[in-house]
Amino acid sequence: MSEHASFADEPSIYDDTDPQAGKGVVRIASVAALGGFLFGYDSAVINGAVSAIQDQFNVDATTLGFAVASALLGAAVGALSAGRVADRFGRLFVMKVAAVLFLVSAIGAGIAPSLWVLIVFRIIGGLGVGVASVIAPAYIAEVSPARIRGRLASLQQLAIVTGIFLSLLVDFLLAKAAGGSKEELWFGMEAWRWMFIAMVIPALAYGLLSLTIPESPRFLVANHRIPEARKILSMLLGEKGLDIKIQRIEETLKTDVKPSWRDLLAPKTGLLPIVWVGLGLSVFQQFVGINVIFYYSNVLWQAVGFSEDGSFVITVITSVVNIVTTLIAIAFVDRIGRKPLLLIGSAGMAVTLITMAIIFGSAPVVDGTPKLSGAEGPIALIAANLFVVAFGMSWGPVVWVLLGESFPNRIRAAALSFAAAGQWIANWAITTSFPRLKDFSLGVAYGFYGVCAILSFIFVWKWVQETKGKELEDMQA
């Protein structure tokens, strides 16, 4: 038996009887997850401003779609670069960079004098989103005990959906206070501008709180800072099996060359199998159309007859549903596992999306707008929220859990960067294509997302492996 294999036979390094084991790990993971909060806030804040931006700058559907999705281009670049920067300078350094990017974006987008200036600052915010989407799951996975890693990693998605909820609530309150998103609120600036500026507060909180948490022990081991790593691992996991843990981390990181993108490559398949799986999870998470609900929901519900106020209320309710269902995932992800939750979610999303496709596809179109009559409106509303339920208890949090924990230590940051960049590119494709798809046929749009949900079920069934309870050092490429 090899030395590495013998480690797998050791008892768990997490000592449930050690009063020091896991000390502060929930607080530490929660601070890291604040990046997810800003990720969610920045992604969804545009929702309440879409109509005002279109009127303010007099733009067509294509340009509007690009403006809404511009942050996603920055997110893809930020995600691609985050892993390399995190491997070189540390996880905490990257968190601070993300906080600065969010802060600059919030102020710049709020005072933008033209659409293109707004787009530039949205791209800067997108860089922060991309960075946060990589560093939060990687860091949380690296500081969490295996038996509760799924729940702690799910805090990332809980933070994202809470950020979405709060941004939509802030949008609603500011629009209400001004008498509409296009109306002036304070200091001669319209309400939609204050929707962006409000992000200054959580950006500052994230930056300051990142000063209060320790560096990832796996990063410290990789950089031969063993005494620091030992101190942090002792705080997180207790003293039991500490030498074995450090030795296992060193074994998985042992190499004669520095980590690079080449580590993700395989001779015949182009990428290592686990990297393909991570990319597939990322793409399917977006291709089911979840962000259409949060980026365009106000426009969507106004298109089928609801007022601006009514659309805001529906959107806020939907975001609350998303939070509640994420709590369900947190409760079950370490009990029944990652794969079963994904399969249940795929099935639920397929049914609800096909339902919406049938309703919107068969509705008569008057002046370019589908008209829902009788029970069709309530059924569409219920189906949309059940879709959010299915996504929120499965693909929302579980994909981030898997991306944070599935990759071996040596390639984790780079592989997560690659997968997250793929996710943002897929998000961009869905977001920019929706305005034209909506104008062509909402039935076709939801039908496509429904087919993707069916394909996601097949993908998970065939290729995704369960990771519940496994140590990070046991993950194979």
Side-chain angles (χ1 to χ4, degrees), residues 190-214:
E190 299 89 347
W192 70 266
R193 294 183 180 277
W194 288 101
M195 294 174 186
F196 292 110
I197 294 172
M199 191 170 63
V200 165
I201 296 172
L204 287 173
Y206 180 44
L208 292 173
L209 286 171
S210 68
L211 301 173
T212 69
I213 58 176

Side-chain angles (χ1 to χ4, degrees), residues 283-361:
V283 170
F284 276 121
Q285 189 196 51
Q286 298 306 313
F287 270 36
V288 296
I290 184 63
N291 283 309
V292 166
I293 298 292
F294 290 111
Y295 294 167
Y296 292 106
S297 57
N298 278 18
V299 174
L300 176 63
W301 295 120
Q302 286 180 61
V304 296
F306 290 93
S307 66
E308 183 182 43
D309 277 358
S311 298
F312 267 119
V313 171
I314 292 171
T315 300
V316 171
I317 291 172
T318 300
S319 67
V320 172
V321 170
N322 204 9
I323 293 173
V324 172
T325 51
T326 302
L327 293 173
I328 294 173
I330 291 174
F332 287 100
V333 67
D334 283 319
R335 295 182 183 179
I336 68 175
R338 287 64 161 150
K339 188 168 182 175
L341 284 177
L342 289 179
L343 291 172
I344 293 168
S346 291
M349 290 189 299
V351 171
T352 52
L353 286 167
I354 296 300
T355 299
M356 285 191 284
I358 292 171
I359 289 175
F360 285 110

Side-chain angles (χ1 to χ4, degrees), residues 347-407:
M349 290 189 299
V351 171
T352 52
L353 286 167
I354 296 300
T355 299
M356 285 191 284
I358 292 171
I359 289 175
F360 285 110
S362 60
V365 178
V366 179
D367 296 328
T369 301
K371 298 298 180 183
L372 305 186
S373 59
E376 290 176 338
I379 291 173
L381 187 58
I382 291 169
N385 280 282
L386 288 178
F387 164 69
V388 173
V389 169
F391 180 89
M393 53 80 66
S394 60
W395 281 80
V398 175
V399 167
W400 290 113
V401 172
L402 286 169
L403 291 181
E405 70 185 8
S406 293
F407 304 118

Side-chain angles (χ1 to χ4, degrees), residues 261 263-285 395 399 402-403 406-408 411 414-420 422-423 456 459-460 462-465 476-477:
W261 287 108
D263 297 333
L264 307 184
L265 301 178
K268 295 180 180 179
T269 57
L271 294 171
L272 293 169
I274 189 60
V275 179
W276 278 117
V277 171
L279 181 61
L281 287 168
S282 291
V283 170
F284 276 121
Q285 189 196 51
W395 281 80
V399 167
L402 286 169
L403 291 181
S406 293
F407 304 118
I411 67 168
L416 215 166
S417 286
F418 183 81
Q423 181 175 132
S456 74
F459 176 80
V460 171
K462 190 168 183 179
W463 284 293
V464 174
Q465 301 297 315
Q476 301 296 320

